[in-house]
Amino acid sequence: MKRMLFSMLAASLITIFGCGETTLQSDQLVRKWEMGTIMQNGQDVSDQHNPENNRWIELKADGTFVSDGDPYGRNTGKWSYDETTSELFLDSDAGEGDDSYWTISSTGDQLVLKGARSEFTREFSMVWKK
């Protein structure tokens, strides 16, 4: 589950939601994203989940992703994005326990991800930066 957190990846400040957010299309997600702030139940846990400030995820045009960084290491898999619901699905090669769903919004050059569908991921929000 912790690896999944990065494969989200990575990113987040709940207060960013609603502040100039825009609707995203799948092609806007294709790039390498650096992990920023990670919030768990409203508390900043970035130092625990990204202690070296080196975590990232790359969402590729072919529908695959690669993520890496301390303390969870490399992860790979497939991703998909539902533009209607703004929901990102990360299907980890590490197994079903690392799969995750995230609701995404965009503010400027940042993505804000809020955990969806599972009790565990709903505790988290993250910010990813271009």
Side-chain angles (χ1 to χ4, degrees):
M1 279 295 218
K2 289 182 181 179
R3 290 186 84 188
M4 167 205 48
L5 203 89
F6 176 38
S7 303
M8 332 308 102
L9 337 325
S12 149
L13 302 171
I14 295 172
T15 56
I16 293 178
F17 284 106
C19 299
E21 63 187 59
T22 58
T23 304
L24 292 167
Q25 295 179 341
S26 293
D27 62 342
Q28 293 174 289
L29 300 175
V30 174
R31 67 174 356 97
K32 185 175 180 180
W33 297 92
E34 304 293 329
M35 181 175 280
T37 306
I38 304 168
M39 303 292 284
Q40 181 177 16
N41 294 321
Q43 294 187 1
D44 188 338
V45 293
S46 303
D47 288 343
Q48 177 185 352
H49 292 279
N50 192 12
E52 301 298 322
N53 198 29
N54 66 354
R55 288 182 63 190
W56 56 269
I57 188 168
E58 183 177 1
L59 302 176
K60 299 181 179 186
D62 67 359
T64 62
F65 75 86
V66 176
S67 64
D68 206 349
D70 299 309
Y72 303 110
R74 191 170 191 81
N75 194 7
T76 59
K78 296 179 179 152
W79 69 277
S80 61
Y81 179 65
D82 184 330
E83 294 176 7
T84 305
T85 62
S86 298
E87 192 171 70
L88 173 68
F89 174 56
L90 296 171
D91 183 7
S92 172
D93 290 337
E96 193 173 314
D98 266 1
D99 296 348
S100 59
Y101 289 87
W102 303 87
T103 302
I104 296 180
S105 63
S106 174
T107 57
D109 65 348
Q110 298 180 341
L111 289 182
V112 179
L113 285 72
K114 174 110 176 83
R117 297 204 187 187
S118 83
E119 188 175 324
F120 178 75
T121 58
R122 277 190 222 119
E123 294 179 4
F124 291 92
S125 58
M126 300 183 283
V127 174
W128 292 353
K129 303 173 189 176
K130 287 184 183 179

